């Protein structure tokens, strides 16, 4: 994703793929309506035949009530499907808890093991991404169903990674959850999307997607170092 691009980032999760398809579907409808209105306005501007005695037209009024209703249904039904699919949890393999702090993130792997790490923003070096590098990346296996749990220890935060199509508020005193499945290996970046204080811009998110066997090895090494 570069500054000169005006379209959405590449999708690396099923949720983001559905959101991109829904965006294209909605934009096609909006573009069709805009073109139709432009054609009608153009015909009205250049049309010199005016019937001053026509005060109403029942058929036209009926159709301009029915057609917008059909268009709204065409937009609302896919939107509701995506909304409910984003909230659905399908037999998650692991659970990862993300806690928001002022101003860093902590991650806890507490399903079949207990491992917690804190993720602070790193100062920029030569080849680092500006304001996006962290000292401890969150690691997760790809092609694996993951349950993400979010909360906060102080104020309202928001855990967001755009190319994975996930954005969930971390609310103090409350636990929110969302499902996540990454389709490819790689490093995915995001930032807190809720204004949480003076250092809001300095709590980035960096997720590294790796193979499941490498993830298990990483967890076992981390537990041995912890013990």
């Amino acid at each position: 994703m570069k500054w000169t691009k005006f379209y959405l980032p590449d999708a690396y999760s099923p949720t983001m793929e559905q959101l991109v398809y829904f965006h294209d579907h909605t934009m096609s409808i909006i573009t069709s309506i805009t073109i139709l209105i432009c054609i009608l306005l153009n015909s009205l501007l250049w049309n010199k035949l005016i019937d001053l005695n026509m005060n109403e037209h029942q058929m036209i009024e009926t159709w301009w009530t029915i057609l917008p209703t059909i268009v709204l249904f065409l937009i609302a039904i896919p939107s509701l499907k995506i909304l409910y699919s984003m909230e659905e949890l399908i037999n998650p393999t692991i659970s990862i808890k993300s806690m928001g702090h002022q101003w860093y993130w902590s991650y806890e792997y507490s399903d079949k093991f207990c491992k917690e790490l804190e993720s602070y923003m790193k100062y920029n070096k030569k080849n680092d991404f500006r304001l996006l590098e962290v000292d401890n990346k969150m690691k997760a296996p790809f092609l694996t169903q993951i349950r993400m749990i979010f909360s906060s220890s102080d104020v309202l935060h928001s855990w967001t990674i755009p190319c994975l199509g996930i954005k969930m508020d971390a609310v103090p005193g409350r636990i929110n959850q969302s499902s996540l499945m990454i389709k490819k290996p790689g490093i995915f970046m995001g930032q807190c999307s809720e204004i949480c204080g003076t250092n809001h811009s300095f709590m980035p998110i960096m997720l590294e997607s790796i193979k499941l066997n490498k993830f298990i090895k990483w967890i076992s090494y981390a537990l041995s170092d912890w013990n």
Side-chain angles (χ1 to χ4, degrees), residues 140-162:
F142 65 92
L143 295 179
T144 303
Q145 196 70 36
I146 304 168
R147 179 177 66 166
M148 293 294 301
I149 303 171
F150 306 96
S151 188
S152 174
S153 62
D154 35 53
V155 297
L156 188 66
H157 300 278
S158 186
W159 199 87
T160 307
I161 298 181

Side-chain angles (χ1 to χ4, degrees), residues 109 114-117 215-227:
Y109 300 82
C114 184
K115 168 64 181 170
E116 185 175 355
L117 57 91
F215 175 78
I216 295 172
K217 289 181 181 179
W218 174 77
I219 282 290
S220 60
Y221 290 150
L223 288 176
S224 61
D225 293 340
W226 180 267
N227 295 328

